[in-house]
Amino acid sequence: MQVLHLEPSDDKGVVIKAKLEVIPLATPIAFEALSYVWGRRRQRRAMQLGSSARMFSATENLIVALRHLRYPDRTRTLWVDALCINQKDEREKSLQVGMMGSIYSHAERVLIWLG
């Protein structure tokens, strides 16, 4: 599975910056799972994903959630389906969806964002 390391910022206007890390599900890492309303797929915003300046397009509702959930002073580790599952790979999506029960049960906390 992959987890998202959301970089800190106390400025709600700053671009979201995050990095993905692949870890075995059994790895004892503290992470939170985010459950949220995807929102309209056409309403998208950019975020920086990875160490390069590569921008990634995410739904506006996810960007708003990440802006509110990031800590001002430290990284927050999350599992977010739209980012941690390759949405373009149907085989991977199918495998990961089958693992979602385990992912949520291994999470330290499950966060719900309704927008």
Side-chain angles (χ1 to χ4, degrees):
M1 83 173 206
Q2 289 193 89
V3 292
L4 182 80
H5 299 290
L6 183 61
E7 293 186 12
S9 177
D10 59 358
D11 183 347
K12 300 290 185 219
V14 171
V15 172
I16 299 292
K17 294 180 183 178
K19 295 177 184 159
L20 289 170
E21 178 185 14
V22 177
I23 61 166
L25 184 57
T27 301
I29 184 174
F31 72 94
E32 298 166 293
L34 175 61
S35 180
Y36 66 100
V37 176
W38 276 41
R40 295 183 184 157
R41 292 181 188 243
R42 285 187 252 166
Q43 291 181 329
R44 302 185 74 79
R45 300 288 179 255
M47 65 179 285
Q48 187 176 329
L49 192 57
S51 57
S52 69
R54 183 176 70 109
M55 299 303 279
F56 180 85
S57 175
T59 63
E60 183 173 24
N61 201 38
L62 176 56
I63 295 295
V64 171
L66 294 175
R67 277 197 179 115
H68 282 84
L69 292 171
R70 66 183 166 186
Y71 292 128
D73 57 349
R74 66 187 188 280
T75 300
R76 189 169 200 167
T77 302
L78 301 165
W79 182 85
V80 182
D81 59 358
L83 301 174
C84 295
I85 298 174
N86 182 351
Q87 299 298 316
K88 295 179 182 177
D89 184 334
E90 293 300 322
R91 184 170 182 261
E92 180 182 334
K93 275 196 329 190
S94 182
L95 290 169
Q96 293 283 328
V97 167
M99 293 173 49
M100 284 177 74
S102 292
I103 291 169
Y104 278 97
S105 67
H106 279 85
E108 184 176 82
R109 183 176 315 135
V110 176
L111 308 168
I112 299 171
W113 181 265
L114 299 176

